[in-house]
């Protein structure tokens, strides 16, 4: 059952971007590898910019298609799931990336396709 619409996704994007920037500091990420903190912050900034540029009702400069946005989200999910293995994150550093990666993967997977509109 796919129920996450473009509108719902748009409302999730800004808070998720802010969380990706703030949570690493609040949780004290970076003990196993400093990249655990840095990657999340950079990803949060990039996610905020991507959301500003996405063609949905909360995009300020809608130049990136929503489909491209979903592809980027999917790639971020894969990178977040793989990062703890590749970069030897341990403890909370690893759990943070696995939880976020799985959450983004679920959101993208539950995306409800939009009906095509004709002229």
């Amino acid at each position: 059952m796919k129920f996450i619409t473009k509108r719902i996704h748009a409302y999730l994007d800004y808070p998720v971007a802010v969380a990706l920037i703030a949570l690493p500091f609040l949780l004290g990420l970076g003990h196993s590898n400093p990249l655990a903190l840095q990657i999340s912050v950079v990803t949060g900034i990039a996610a905020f910019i991507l959301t500003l540029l996405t063609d949905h009702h909360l995009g300020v400069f809608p130049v990136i298609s929503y489909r491209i946005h979903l592809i980027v989200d999917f790639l971020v999910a894969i990178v977040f799931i793989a990062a703890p293995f590749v970069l030897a994150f341990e403890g909370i550093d690893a759990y943070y990336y696995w939880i976020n990666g799985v959450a983004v993967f679920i959101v993208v997977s539950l995306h409800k396709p939009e009906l095509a509109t004709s002229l």
Side-chain angles (χ1 to χ4, degrees):
M1 180 167 80
K2 297 185 176 201
F3 61 90
I4 297 181
T5 63
K6 183 177 181 179
R7 186 171 201 78
I8 291 169
H9 190 114
Y11 282 118
L12 294 172
D13 279 338
Y14 287 109
V16 167
V18 171
L20 287 170
I21 296 166
L23 279 176
F25 296 103
L26 296 173
L27 296 173
L29 295 189
H31 289 292
S32 63
N33 185 331
L35 288 174
L37 183 135
Q38 298 163 358
I39 290 170
S40 183
V41 173
V42 169
T43 302
I45 293 167
F48 193 85
I49 293 168
L50 177 66
T51 302
L52 287 172
L53 298 175
T54 297
D55 184 17
H56 57 43
H57 72 288
L58 294 180
V60 178
F61 307 103
V63 296
I64 297 174
S65 75
Y66 182 63
R67 180 180 173 165
I68 297 297
H69 181 112
L70 287 175
I71 291 169
V72 170
D73 282 353
F74 176 76
L75 294 173
V76 167
I78 299 303
V79 168
F80 270 39
I81 292 167
F85 299 107
V86 175
L87 300 172
F89 295 170
E90 296 176 351
I92 192 159
D93 293 348
Y95 296 128
Y96 174 85
Y97 278 86
W98 287 327
I99 291 167
N100 278 295
V102 168
V104 172
F105 182 79
I106 290 170
V107 167
V108 172
S109 297
L110 294 177
H111 169 67
K112 182 178 181 178
E114 295 182 354
L115 298 174
T117 57
S118 57
L119 296 175

